[in-house]
């Protein structure tokens, strides 16, 4: 025990004489078993949980469908639609029937996966980048940097991001594309991520390994990105997974409201909006894309929840 | 408390300015000339254009224009809709309906959410708990318009329990179905929040003390556990209000409820940009005020916040 009666605890550094003991022997403090960290622990927890495997499998299937839609259907989602088939019942080769325009419902769902997923991924990258930059600098540097960055975050946080996206998309009515809609959603969705990272960094930045890095002369900037951020990023990754689901819902909601993607795009939100007029007579046209949308959102939320539980010992205790 | 209230009021000013500035900037960046849009193919005399530009301060720099817009907002001038009605007039007509819908939805989600969350938390790991968690996960994943249509199709059209559309001047009873739909997503969140909060509170020292001094479960659960678990749920209501506003836009559109949300929904559908902006501004201001009130309420509930 170090002497605790003095005002500062004295830390004794033992430096072994080099010629007597090889350094490797001193450095190796290997106790029994493999080294463990947060991610390895989480992985051990995750691989025992069926929910993790179910959600991962669902996501893999959705990604595969989005990447190679041609493998899943021979029909074209937009061309060769026969108005004679309008809202038609399923026939062989068209397992889910036809939309109001006489297009194949199944083909439209298959091709819509790409749109939803691209919006989700672009928004997530945007939210992750902005959130990490703002959160990291605000949390680590503190003071006026924190004051300015956090206030900017508060302003963006004060506008519910779907409402903001509605305004942006109405303003940019002539420029609608996957990129524009992703930007419209992402620009107002990042403050939540920044807040989480900021509070996590506040917790981490006084750790011993940060003091150690400072002591051996690592620059503050490098400590932030090489040591502090990697040790604070876990909850942000969980949020990113869940925000991917949120972005997919946001795109569908905007398309449903009519300020999303133009109808030439394959988008589940568009299809649901178009099918609502015939809800009474042809509910199946509305139900199938709704199921696809909900299932996609469900897989990402489920994955996020499982990973959150695995990373958070407190949540694990609550199970 | 006074000091805290003052601090909180001061803090909201930059956010208020920033939020209105952002909205105004987005509209300012709108491509096209508003005057040219007013006239269409036959441009008016140059003098007329100049006069209109002067009248609406369009020749002034951006920041001055923003200033005029801000003064207008503080005087309660949110502009006019496409059909020439002042936005405030439309609000006066539609607002009470939306308030009724929101009260009903908040009532449903709070009562049901807290009840289910409490039982789940108390019986952690049981069948009820597992079912509750699974159902809440599914409900969170359902986009509100999907839920709206499914409810409309099955509960109203197929089984005829409710009227599929509302319309007219609805009372509380007419709004039950839209309110349930609106409440569902937040209901799932409240279940999860209450559950984890109850589990956490249950293991605290004062609960053990309460039991050990001989209080019955019937007294400890509502008075000691539930009351102390509700603080995160109350704060959640603030964030939830944003979801509620967006949700109201969609639900009122689907069920044809003549509220603020439907007005926004229809303005969006028809591409009436300026009306959309006016209503979003009103909603954002409302959202800020509600969050301010909830923060103050939170400080009343929990003294630690006030003095931090």
């Amino acid at each position: 025990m170090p002497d605790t009666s003095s005002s500062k605890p004295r830390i004794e550094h033992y430096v072994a004489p080099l010629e007597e003991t090889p350094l490797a022997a001193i450095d190796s403090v290997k106790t029994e078993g493999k080294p463990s960290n947060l991610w390895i622990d989480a992985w051990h927890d995750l691989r025992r949980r069926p929910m993790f495997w179910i959600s991962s499998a669902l996501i893999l299937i959705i990604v595969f469908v989005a990447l190679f839609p041609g493998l899943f259907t021979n029909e074209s989602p937009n061309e060769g639609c026969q108005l004679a088939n309008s809202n038609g019942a399923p026939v062989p080769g068209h397992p889910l029937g036809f939309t109001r325009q006489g297009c194949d419902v199944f083909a439209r769902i298959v091709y819509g996966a790409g749109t939803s997923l691209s919006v989700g991924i672009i928004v997530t990258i945007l939210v992750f980048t902005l959130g990490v930059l703002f959160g990291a600098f605000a949390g680590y540097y503190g003071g006026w940097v924190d004051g300015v960055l956090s206030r900017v975050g508060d302003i963006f946080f004060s506008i519910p991001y779907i409402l903001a996206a509605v305004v942006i998309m109405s303003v940019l009515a002539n420029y609608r594309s996957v990129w524009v809609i992703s930007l419209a959603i992402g620009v107002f969705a990042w403050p939540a991520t920044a807040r989480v990272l900021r509070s996590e960094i506040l917790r981490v930045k006084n750790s011993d390994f940060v003091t150690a890095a400072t002591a051996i002369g690592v620059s503050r900037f490098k400590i932030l990105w090489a040591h502090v951020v990697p040790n604070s990023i876990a909850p942000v990754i969980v949020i990113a997974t869940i925000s991917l689901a949120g972005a997919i819902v946001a795109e569908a909601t905007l398309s449903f409201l009519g300020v999303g993607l133009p109808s030439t795009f394959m988008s589940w939100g568009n299809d649901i909006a178009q099918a609502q007029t015939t809800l009474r007579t042809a509910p199946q046209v509305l139900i199938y894309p709704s199921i696809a949308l909900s299932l996609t959102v469900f897989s990402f939320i489920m994955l996020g929840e499982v990973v959150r539980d695995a990373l958070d010992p407190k949540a694990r205790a609550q199970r | 408390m006074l000091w805290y209230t003052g601090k909180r009021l001061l803090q909201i000013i930059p956010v208020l300015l920033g939020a209105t500035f952002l909205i105004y900037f987005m509209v300012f960046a709108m491509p096209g000339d508003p005057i040219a849009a007013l006239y269409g193919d036959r441009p008016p005399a140059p003098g007329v254009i100049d006069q209109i530009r002067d009248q609406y301060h369009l020749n002034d720099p951006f920041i001055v224009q923003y200033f005029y817009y801000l003064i207008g907002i503080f005087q309660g001038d949110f502009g006019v809709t496409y059909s020439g009605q002042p936005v405030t007039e439309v609000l006066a007509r539609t607002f009470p309906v939306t308030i009724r819908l929101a009260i009903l939805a908040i009532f449903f989600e709070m009562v049901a959410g807290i009840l289910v969350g409490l039982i789940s938390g108390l019986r952690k790991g049981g069948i009820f708990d597992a079912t509750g968690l699974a159902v809440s996960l599914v409900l969170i994943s359902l986009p509100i318009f999907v839920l709206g249509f499914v409810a409309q199709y099955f509960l109203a059209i197929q089984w005829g329990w409710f009227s599929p559309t509302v319309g007219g001047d609805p009372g509380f009873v007419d709004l039950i179905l839209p309110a349930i739909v609106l409440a569902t997503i937040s209901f799932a969140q409240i279940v999860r929040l209450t559950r984890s909060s109850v589990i956490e509170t249950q293991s605290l020292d004062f609960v053990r003390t309460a039991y050990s001094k001989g209080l019955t479960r019937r007294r400890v659960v509502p008075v000691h556990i539930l009351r102390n678990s509700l603080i995160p749920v109350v704060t959640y209501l603030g964030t939830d209000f944003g979801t509620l506003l967006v949700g109201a836009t969609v639900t009122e559109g689907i069920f044809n409820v003549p509220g603020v949300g439907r007005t926004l929904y229809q303005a969006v559908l028809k591409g009436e940009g300026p009306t959309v902006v006016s209503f979003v501004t009103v909603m954002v201001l409302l959202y800020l005020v509600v969050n301010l009130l909830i923060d103050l309420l939170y400080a009343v509930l929990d003294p630690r916040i006030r003095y931090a």
Side-chain angles (χ1 to χ4, degrees), chain B residues 103-114:
Chain B
I103 290 176
L104 211 58
I106 291 177
F107 175 77
F108 284 151
E109 69 190 37
M110 288 300 267
V111 171
I114 291 174

Side-chain angles (χ1 to χ4, degrees), chain A residues 176-204:
Chain A
R176 287 173 190 171
S177 70
V178 168
W179 285 96
V180 170
I181 197 171
S182 307
L183 221 65
I185 299 167
V187 155
F188 279 84
W190 59 269
T193 311
R195 283 183 179 191
V196 170
L197 184 66
R198 177 179 170 276
S199 61
E200 198 63 16
I201 281 185
L202 286 180
R203 200 174 60 79
V204 167

